[in-house]
Amino acid sequence: MGELAAKFRTIYDGTIFPYTLPPIIGLGTGGGFEMQLLDRGNLGFQALEQAGTELALAANRQPELSSVVSTFRATYPNVFLDIDRTKVLTMNIPIQSVFNTLQTYLGSTYVNDFNKFSRTWQVRAQAESSFRRFPEDVSQLFVRSADGKMIPLGTLMSVRYDVGPMRVDRYNLFPTVRVMGENAPGYSSGQAISLMEQLAHKVLPFGISYDWTNMAFQEKRAAGSGAIVFVAAVIMVVLI
């Protein structure tokens, strides 16, 4: 994993991290721990990104922890379509027709299924890639008004570049950032979880809390139950 991580750092087209398989296949996406930072105070995506980055940096300075990363970024390039809803209604165009046009041409719209070659195939409508490559292509799309006229979308909206998160996840209803990592060789997962909690209390600002998920969540729930299971097992052996 160390050799792979060194090679992956030379790839500048993306951010790549190697991870081991989870101890229980199907529970989580990788080994180690996964902490969810929750924006309970509605501080915004920038604050969430900063909290995740600072926590990961603080964790990577600890000898007990390894490969701690936060993958959330709030500054991905976006294209924002500012729809003039007043103009849309004035021109007698259903606002849903505007959304449906954008969905169909820029994304895709499910049409139906058909069977051929002993398989079921989906039919989806979508513009060819050459006609949806640039933001300016949106102005070339047309939408039909209630009286049958075809109106170019370029007259109904403006296009501008913006930044924002590529994807926003929620955990326990709150916007969340994942912080993932592993315990370093020679240290247990319990030590890693305990240290991450200590760092979270020091680093996270007021309004951002944390929860555990996947294997770390199960480990926290099972903490302290080992002695009870051992005593029960001894009693069962004696009785048998």
Side-chain angles (χ1 to χ4, degrees):
M1 287 180 60
E3 293 176 359
L4 285 173
K7 293 180 180 179
F8 290 156
R9 281 194 291 269
T10 63
I11 302 175
Y12 300 105
D13 294 333
T15 304
I16 307 172
F17 303 100
Y19 278 96
T20 57
L21 290 173
I24 302 176
I25 301 300
L27 186 59
T29 57
F33 56 80
E34 184 173 328
M35 174 185 278
Q36 303 280 164
L37 304 187
L38 309 180
D39 183 9
R40 295 179 181 271
N42 196 27
L43 302 183
F45 300 132
Q46 297 281 356
L48 263 180
E49 177 185 357
Q50 183 176 355
T53 301
E54 291 180 357
L55 182 59
L57 290 174
N60 283 315
R61 290 194 288 265
Q62 309 301 316
E64 298 91 341
L65 302 172
S66 173
S67 303
V68 182
V69 295
S70 172
T71 58
F72 182 82
R73 296 293 179 268
T75 55
Y76 283 104
N78 289 336
V79 175
F80 185 82
L81 303 181
D82 191 3
I83 301 174
D84 188 341
R85 295 171 181 259
T86 302
K87 190 173 184 179
V88 169
L89 296 176
T90 302
M91 300 185 71
N92 200 21
I93 301 172
I95 188 65
Q96 190 60 43
S97 297
V98 177
F99 297 144
N100 291 340
T101 300
L102 294 172
Q103 169 68 33
T104 299
Y105 285 95
L106 304 182
S108 65
T109 298
Y110 169 78
V111 179
N112 60 10
D113 296 333
F114 71 94
N115 298 321
K116 196 168 186 177
F117 308 119
S118 301
R119 290 186 58 183
T120 300
W121 306 83
Q122 280 193 358
V123 178
R124 289 186 173 271
Q126 184 185 54
E128 291 285 352
S129 59
S130 58
F131 295 99
R132 52 184 172 87
R133 183 170 299 171
F134 304 104
E136 295 76 14
D137 293 334
V138 176
S139 61
Q140 304 300 320
L141 303 177
F142 284 78
V143 63
R144 188 184 300 275
S145 65
D147 52 6
K149 296 180 181 179
M150 299 301 293
I151 311 298
L153 286 181
T155 63
L156 305 175
M157 65 180 63
S158 58
V159 181
R160 61 180 171 86
Y161 291 93
D162 201 354
V163 294
M166 179 181 293
R167 169 177 169 173
V168 179
D169 295 320
R170 289 181 178 269
Y171 191 79
N172 291 341
L173 302 181
F174 294 98
T176 184
V177 167
R178 290 194 304 168
V179 177
M180 301 170 290
E182 296 180 303
N183 49 292
Y187 298 93
S188 68
S189 58
Q191 289 176 301
I193 291 175
S194 177
L195 181 56
M196 285 297 298
E197 291 179 341
Q198 296 174 31
L199 292 174
H201 289 300
K202 293 180 181 178
V203 173
L204 297 183
F206 180 78
I208 295 181
S209 63
Y210 69 88
D211 274 331
W212 292 104
T213 187
N214 294 332
M215 287 299 302
F217 173 77
Q218 299 295 336
E219 185 171 345
K220 288 285 293 183
R221 289 192 63 183
S225 61
I228 299 175
V229 174
F230 178 76
V231 172
V234 171
I235 294 175
M236 290 297 296
V237 170
V238 172
L239 292 176
I240 293 174

